[in-house]
Amino acid sequence: VSASSNQPATLYNGVEINNGLVLFGETQQYLLASDDSAVGLTQDTVKLSSIGNYLYDPNISPTLMGTTVGFTNSGGTSFRLFEMAQINLEGQPSVTELSKIVSLLLPNNLISFADSKEGNLLMFATDDPGRQNEVWGFRYYTVGEERLQQAWFRWELPGDVIYNTIMRDTYYGVVRLNGVNKILAFDIKETENTALINNDYRVHLDNRVNIDVS
């Protein structure tokens, strides 16, 4: 099975959906699936179909957003986030640019991507000059196939972000601060284990350190 196109069709990444595997090249997307649901996926029934011609950033993995697929591209004045829905062998999927409303504010290059499927949250780190401490987030809320709410936001961390990830409702950022690499942990959802100050105030998005005053 091979991907053919009138442009270079090198495949860099893929994400599994209910009816197949969505494969991403830099300029084109494909769906690897079976055209015989009774037999399943075999060497005789496998089919690779072109489903889109969108630019894709091979450094940032695509991700599932519930029943849809999110992916990014860069190369313009800012990176773009797309959402692909209704993916089938027959016909074209529905693709929406989620970043359009903030396109003039987003950075150009991405170095790291973090997602929380449970928290419906995507986080993007950049190494654009002068903006290395920025992290951009996209939060969404979907019920069934209806997107009820979505919003973009920006965090400024105390140093240059080298890497970020989300695990179990905690956002981890590897930050270079005063020449030292540190790992900062931020709860994106308040829990009984979220840090307290003076037993009263929850700590969120702060670089809390213990200071010896003796």
Side-chain angles (χ1 to χ4, degrees), residues 54-57 60-65 68-74 78-84 95-103 106-108 110 113-115 121-124 136-140 147 150-152:
Y54 294 89
L55 292 178
Y56 163 69
D57 183 357
I60 304 298
S61 299
T63 185
L64 280 176
M65 299 173 61
T68 62
V69 176
F71 65 97
T72 64
N73 73 32
S74 58
S78 63
F79 82 87
R80 296 178 178 89
L81 173 64
F82 291 90
E83 183 179 25
M84 182 180 292
V95 178
T96 304
E97 182 185 347
L98 300 176
S99 56
K100 196 171 187 62
I101 59 174
V102 291
S103 60
L106 296 175
N108 180 18
L110 295 178
F113 161 72
D115 72 319
L121 177 65
L122 309 178
M123 302 293 291
F124 306 91
W136 283 83
F138 178 74
R139 194 74 179 264
Y140 58 96
R147 179 66 47 81
Q150 61 186 32
W152 284 91

Side-chain angles (χ1 to χ4, degrees), residues 18-184:
N18 287 340
N19 54 350
L21 181 68
V22 182
L23 300 171
F24 286 83
E26 281 192 276
T27 60
Q28 199 159 352
Q29 293 75 49
Y30 301 87
L31 177 61
L32 179 69
S34 170
D35 56 3
D36 189 337
S37 58
V39 176
L41 189 66
T42 70
Q43 62 182 9
D44 297 321
T45 63
V46 65
K47 186 176 182 181
L48 187 64
S49 300
S50 174
I51 57 173
N53 294 91
Y54 294 89
L55 292 178
Y56 163 69
D57 183 357
N59 297 314
I60 304 298
S61 299
T63 185
L64 280 176
M65 299 173 61
T67 59
T68 62
V69 176
F71 65 97
T72 64
N73 73 32
S74 58
T77 57
S78 63
F79 82 87
R80 296 178 178 89
L81 173 64
F82 291 90
E83 183 179 25
M84 182 180 292
Q86 300 173 6
I87 305 171
N88 297 290
L89 280 172
E90 304 299 332
Q92 297 294 316
S94 172
V95 178
T96 304
E97 182 185 347
L98 300 176
S99 56
K100 196 171 187 62
I101 59 174
V102 291
S103 60
L104 298 179
L105 303 175
L106 296 175
N108 180 18
N109 193 43
L110 295 178
I111 59 169
S112 182
F113 161 72
D115 72 319
S116 171
K117 296 176 179 58
E118 298 81 7
N120 298 327
L121 177 65
L122 309 178
M123 302 293 291
F124 306 91
T126 179
D127 62 355
D128 279 8
R131 305 182 67 174
Q132 294 95 327
N133 68 323
E134 291 185 5
V135 175
W136 283 83
F138 178 74
R139 194 74 179 264
Y140 58 96
Y141 178 62
T142 304
V143 176
E145 296 183 356
E146 184 180 2
R147 179 66 47 81
L148 299 182
Q149 188 176 18
Q150 61 186 32
W152 284 91
F153 59 91
R154 180 176 68 97
W155 292 346
E156 289 187 4
L157 301 192
D160 293 349
V161 181
I162 303 172
Y163 181 77
N164 64 354
T165 189
I166 299 174
M167 294 184 291
R168 296 186 178 181
D169 289 328
T170 300
Y171 171 83
Y172 296 92
V174 181
V175 175
R176 183 164 294 154
L177 184 60
N178 298 324
V180 178
N181 294 341
K182 295 186 176 183
I183 300 178
L184 306 183

Side-chain angles (χ1 to χ4, degrees), residues 209-214:
V209 295
N210 294 324
I211 300 176
D212 187 3
V213 294
S214 59

